């Protein structure tokens, strides 16, 4: 079987009408074999919709000599499992699937047909057929060969078999899988070479699932969620995209009803990359349907510079630390607008490309961020602010040890999930990989989590300003945790964690902290060794500055950074 791209649906339909009339002429003879037995052949209806796209056309299937379908009857005459079905082979000369020994007594039958490519045929020889969609796929140029090489289809039809008729029932085959078409638009001024596309469906959704064809007798197909993962990666070759042009990447995925965050990441040979995160609510990826998402390469290229300039010169945001530019490994990003309320800002960070994590994340905290309709979403995905995801670890599942085993380091949030619960969309933003560090679960789920809860209880009407971060002590040998992408990033494990806080003492002055006297403000800092159940160490903000080298709250001149009183919190 081979695939080709048809520009218009009407072209496909018109061509098939002629093909059908020819086939009807070819099978005019009555295929009868033996007394009381009728020989049967089958036609595949070429007018079927296969991988239906938008109005631009569809991906159509042509049959080739030697293609094989397995056919069963629901009454069990031809069996109800793949091992007892009849095999029919395509004859291009007649346009039929034929088996000279396949006969049936006269009567009405419901036929079930299954098709799999030769590479997948072994799945259809077991009593309960199992097909696993590959999570790693390859596409060369605009060729759709990787689609046909993993193709599986099913069909059923009811027909009366008689010695007085031609006995050529027609199947309308339907694909088991769905297609995600990633439209890669190059918005830069130069051509780019796209190397790979990764699509991640956050949560427990299985997009590379196993299908079990439970019975040929009724054609039942069920998804066996075997923990095969919620992401699929497509490697690309010969995929050069001219400036201003768009190229399509095609990924086979399991059909599903989905509500959550879809993350699509495109990597290029030049180091430029693009990602898109979006919420899909009650979205239905139907069998045999094409679903489109557009990712623009190049439009984020100026994000880091513009974010830095905006954050450092224009905002005056109280939570922002100083942002030195002497270290080329450091990039500054801001998620300025909260998805549920674009009048509220979300959070900002300093990302260290050499450490594959943020050194600090700064954010305001108020009840308007923590109360609402949201809940923990586990919508893991790439950060759309990240210019080059080669520096952002791929953490759809977990951190791993060097041998590929899940280790004791969890995906530790810097901005906690529970600090953004006004809506699910707000919560999604806390699950960007950029917000994670490899943190011992025995710290993350214990004393660190206790501090996070205390910090939320200290928010106030005037707003609490928080900076949280990971520290890498100099002159020591780091432990490492690996991300779960195929090539695996070796992520240094932080040696310490910390938080610094600033707010008004009363919590209800109605004034911005920039307008307050030092006597109206309070600060505090907390320091943790990165160890199991490590206790919090209470310190002044100035002490945390000395330990980390960061300068905190430079936009609040009166911030009392050298003193703290734990009893005031």
């Amino acid at each position: 079987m081979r695939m080709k791209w048809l520009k218009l649906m009407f072209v496909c339909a018109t061509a098939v009408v002629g093909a059908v009339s020819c086939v009807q002429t070819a099978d005019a003879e009555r295929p009868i074999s033996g007394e009381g037995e009728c020989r049967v052949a089958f036609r595949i209806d070429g007018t079927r919709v296969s991988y239906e796209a938008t109005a631009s056309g569809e991906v159509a299937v042509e049959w080739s000599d030697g293609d094989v379908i397995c056919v069963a009857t629901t009454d069990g005459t031809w069996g109800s499992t793949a091992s007892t079905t009849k095999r029919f082979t395509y004859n291009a000369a007649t346009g039929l699937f034929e088996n000279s020994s396949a006969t049936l007594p006269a009567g009405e039958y419901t036929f079930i047909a299954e098709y799999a490519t030769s590479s997948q045929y072994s799945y259809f020889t077991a009593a309960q057929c199992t097909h696993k969609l590959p999570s790693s796929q390859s596409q060369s140029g605009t060729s759709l060969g990787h689609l046909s090489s993993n193709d599986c289809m099913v069909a059923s039809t009811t027909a009366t078999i008689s010695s007085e008729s031609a006995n050529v029932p027609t199947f309308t085959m339907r694909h088991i899988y769905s297609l995600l078409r990633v439209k890669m638009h190059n918005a830069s001024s130069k051509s780019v070479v796209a190397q790979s596309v990764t699509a991640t469906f956050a949560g427990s959704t299985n997009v590379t699932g196993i299908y079990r064809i439970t019975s040929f007798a009724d054609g039942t197909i069920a998804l066996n969620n075997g923990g095969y993962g919620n992401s699929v990666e497509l490697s690309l070759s010969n995929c050069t995209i001219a400036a201003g042009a768009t190229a399509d990447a095609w990924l086979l995925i399991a059909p599903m009803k989905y509500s959550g965050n879809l993350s699509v990441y495109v990597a290029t040979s030049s180091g430029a990359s693009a990602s898109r995160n979006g919420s899909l609510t009650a979205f239905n990826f139907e069998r045999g349907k094409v679903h489109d998402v557009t990712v623009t390469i190049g439009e984020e290229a100026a994000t880091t510079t513009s974010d830095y300039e905006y954050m450092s010169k224009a905002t005056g945001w109280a939570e922002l630390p100083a942002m030195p530019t002497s270290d080329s490994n450091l990039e500054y990003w801001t998620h300025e607008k909260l998805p549920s309320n674009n009048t509220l800002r979300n959070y900002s960070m300093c990302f260290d490309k050499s450490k594959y994590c943020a050194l600090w994340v700064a954010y305001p905290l108020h009840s308007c961020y923590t109360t609402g309709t949201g809940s923990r979403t586990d919508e893991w995905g790439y950060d759309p602010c990240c210019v080059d995801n080669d520096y952002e670890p791929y953490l759809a599942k977990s951190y791993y040890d060097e041998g590929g085993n899940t280790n004791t380091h969890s995906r530790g949030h810097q901005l906690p999930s529970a600090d953004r619960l006004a809506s699910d969309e707000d919560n999604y933003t806390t699950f960007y990989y950029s917000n994670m560090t490899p943190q011992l679960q025995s710290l993350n789920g214990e004393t660190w989590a206790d501090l996070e809860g205390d910090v939320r209880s200290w928010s106030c009407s005037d707003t609490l300003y928080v900076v949280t971060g990971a520290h890498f002590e100099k002159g020591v040998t780091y432990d490492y945790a690996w991300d779960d992408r195929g090539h695996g990033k070796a992520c240094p494990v932080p040696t310490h964690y910390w938080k610094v806080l600033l707010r008004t003492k009363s919590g209800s002055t109605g004034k911005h902290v920039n307008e307050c006297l030092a006597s109206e403000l309070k600060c505090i800092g907390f320091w943790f060794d990165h160890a199991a159940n490590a206790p919090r160490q209470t310190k002044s903000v100035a002490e945390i500055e000395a330990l980390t080298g960061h300068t905190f709250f430079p936009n609040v001149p009166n911030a009392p950074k050298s003193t703290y009183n734990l009893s005031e919190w």
Side-chain angles (χ1 to χ4, degrees), residues 36-54:
E37 292 286 322
C38 304
R39 189 186 305 164
V40 181
F42 294 94
R43 178 187 298 114
I44 301 296
D45 181 4
T47 63
R48 66 184 173 82
V49 176
S50 59
Y51 289 127
E52 181 183 353
T54 57

Side-chain angles (χ1 to χ4, degrees), residues 129-142:
C129 306
T130 301
H131 177 79
K132 179 179 181 294
L133 182 63
S135 59
S136 296
Q137 302 167 24
S138 299
Q139 175 180 320
S140 177
T142 58

Side-chain angles (χ1 to χ4, degrees), residues 200-532:
T200 302
F201 292 77
S204 59
T205 298
N206 193 334
V207 297
T208 57
I210 284 184
Y211 271 87
R212 300 186 66 82
I213 301 172
T214 57
S215 174
F216 272 75
D218 59 12
T220 301
I221 302 174
L223 176 62
N224 177 16
N225 286 311
Y228 287 94
N230 60 347
S231 65
V232 58
E233 184 167 349
L234 178 71
S235 62
L236 301 171
S237 60
N238 303 314
C239 187
T240 300
I241 311 173
T246 300
D248 293 338
W250 301 82
L251 294 88
L252 277 164
I253 62 172
M256 58 186 167
K257 289 186 177 179
Y258 181 72
S259 180
N261 198 48
L262 166 64
S263 172
V264 178
Y265 166 63
V266 177
T268 71
S269 60
S270 64
S273 62
S275 62
R276 173 174 174 173
N277 289 269
S279 174
L280 300 176
T281 302
F283 199 84
N284 192 6
F285 285 85
E286 300 177 67
R287 289 178 185 166
K289 299 287 187 178
V290 174
H291 304 279
D292 291 336
V293 61
T294 299
V295 175
T296 302
I297 302 169
E299 68 175 357
E300 293 95 346
T303 298
T304 301
T305 301
S306 62
D307 275 9
Y308 170 75
E309 291 176 351
Y310 182 66
M311 292 161 65
S312 63
K313 298 178 181 178
T315 65
W317 295 342
E319 71 273 14
L320 287 181
M323 294 178 289
T325 59
S326 56
D327 189 340
S328 62
N329 285 316
L330 302 185
E331 293 187 351
Y332 301 98
W333 310 333
T334 183
H335 293 278
E336 181 188 0
K337 296 180 179 179
L338 197 68
S340 66
N341 186 340
N342 61 19
T343 66
L344 298 175
R345 66 180 176 274
N346 197 356
Y347 66 94
S348 306
M349 68 170 57
C350 171
F351 192 88
D352 188 333
K353 295 185 292 185
S354 69
K355 302 295 193 297
Y356 304 125
C357 72
L359 297 185
W360 54 254
V361 177
Y363 53 95
L365 190 58
H366 185 277
S367 61
C368 64
Y369 292 96
T370 57
T371 57
T373 61
S375 60
R376 182 184 174 98
T377 60
D378 288 301
E379 300 289 342
W380 307 93
Y382 283 113
D383 190 332
C385 284
C386 183
V387 175
D388 190 344
N389 286 122
D390 281 343
Y391 299 111
E392 188 178 4
Y394 179 64
L395 300 172
K397 297 177 183 177
S398 182
Y399 284 102
Y400 288 78
D401 64 20
E402 190 172 7
N405 303 305
T406 304
N407 66 17
T408 55
H409 293 97
S410 62
R411 296 167 289 187
H413 286 67
Q414 298 213 59
L415 169 61
S417 166
D419 285 7
R420 293 294 184 265
L421 293 177
S423 72
D424 282 350
E425 289 75 14
D426 295 350
N427 190 258
Y428 295 160
T429 67
T430 71
F431 283 90
Y432 294 148
Y433 304 146
S434 60
N435 189 42
M436 306 300 148
T437 68
Q439 190 174 42
L440 289 171
Q441 181 56 31
S442 53
L443 175 65
N444 183 34
E446 300 294 336
T447 50
W448 182 258
D450 293 340
L451 176 61
E452 290 177 332
D454 287 343
V455 170
R456 280 188 290 277
S457 72
W458 295 332
S459 65
C460 61
S461 297
D462 282 342
T463 303
L464 171 66
Y465 300 97
V466 184
V467 189
T468 185
H471 179 65
F472 296 84
E473 187 174 347
K474 295 181 179 179
V476 302
T477 301
Y478 300 131
D479 292 329
Y480 288 87
W482 279 257
D483 71 355
D484 61 354
R485 186 185 290 180
H487 53 73
K489 291 183 177 68
C491 304
V493 174
T495 57
H496 300 82
Y497 287 92
W498 52 266
K499 287 184 184 287
V500 294
L501 314 177
L502 166 68
R503 54 161 278 188
T504 59
K505 286 183 177 179
S506 71
S508 57
T509 64
K511 296 191 295 185
H512 192 280
V513 288
N514 284 343
E515 303 169 354
C516 293
L517 301 174
S519 60
E520 298 177 284
L521 301 172
K522 60 182 180 181
C523 290
I524 198 167
F526 299 95
W527 183 261
F528 286 80
D529 295 328
H530 193 183

Side-chain angles (χ1 to χ4, degrees), residues 24-37:
Q24 288 173 335
T25 301
D27 56 68
E29 278 190 40
R30 198 176 296 162
I32 303 175
S33 174
E35 185 176 352
E37 292 286 322

